[in-house]
Each structure stands twice: as structure tokens, then as C-alpha cells.
Amino acid sequence: MKSVSVTGLRQTGTATATAAVDIATDGTGPVTVVITWFAGETSGELGAQDGSQTFRREGATQYTIPLDHTFQRQACYWGVQATTDPAPASGGSSQQIVIRRCVIS
């Protein structure tokens, strides 16, 4: 396993977001990708889990997985984390955004 990277996390609606996960492997797999969504009130902390998805890929050395999520929790920060099995040397990847309806002072 070479790398996993969360890219392009953005708010698409009052309770929805989109992102993508890019994966680069040393071989043709298989690789299991676990996506975990979070909602919280603190910048830099992922917050409480708000759902997860698991994907299995094989047959190539690079993958991009498009993601959509509807949040169940009310929060000012949304986050997504990607981990893989096998894990890359750099570990997992995550991104966090502040959502449009929140004003952070």
C-alpha cells in the first residue's frame, strides 16, 4: 500500500457533503477502504461519528472513490476520514470543513 488521501470535501446542501478518496497501491489488491464521517464543534477534532462506509477494490494500482453523505448530527464542523487495510506507511487521511450555516468567531 502506497497512500490514501481524502480530497475535495465540500458542503453541497444544508445536511449533505461530497468528497473523494484517492488510493495508490503497490499491487493489484485487494484493498479494503473504510470511510468514516464525523460531525463536531471543534476545529481540528473530528468529533462524533456520523456514519461509515466500507469499499473493497482490486485489479488496479490506483482508485478514486467518489463519496456523498447526508449528516444526521447538527454540528459546525464536518469531517471525513479514510483508512485502508493494508495500511499505508503514512497512515490514514482526513479532512474537516466548517459548514456554511455556522459563524465561527
Side-chain angles (χ1 to χ4, degrees):
M1 186 68 187
K2 290 184 179 179
S3 66
V4 58
S5 179
V6 174
T7 60
L9 175 59
R10 65 184 178 87
Q11 183 177 355
T12 56
T14 58
T16 56
T18 187
V21 174
D22 296 322
I23 300 131
T25 65
D26 296 319
T28 57
V31 61
T32 300
V33 182
V34 177
I35 306 301
T36 309
W37 296 90
F38 297 90
E41 297 300 331
T42 305
S43 177
E45 295 178 17
L46 290 174
Q49 185 173 329
D50 192 80
S52 64
Q53 301 164 270
T54 301
F55 301 90
R56 182 179 164 96
R57 297 290 188 264
E58 61 185 306
T61 58
Q62 297 214 356
Y63 308 94
T64 297
I65 302 172
L67 304 168
D68 292 302
H69 184 69
T70 300
F71 285 87
Q72 303 303 308
R73 298 176 181 271
Q74 294 285 329
C76 284
Y77 292 92
W78 292 346
V80 61
Q81 181 179 54
T83 57
T84 61
D85 183 16
S90 61
S93 175
S94 65
Q95 275 194 12
Q96 183 186 56
I97 59 171
V98 61
I99 66 168
R100 289 188 295 257
R101 67 174 166 76
C102 292
V103 176
I104 307 299
S105 55

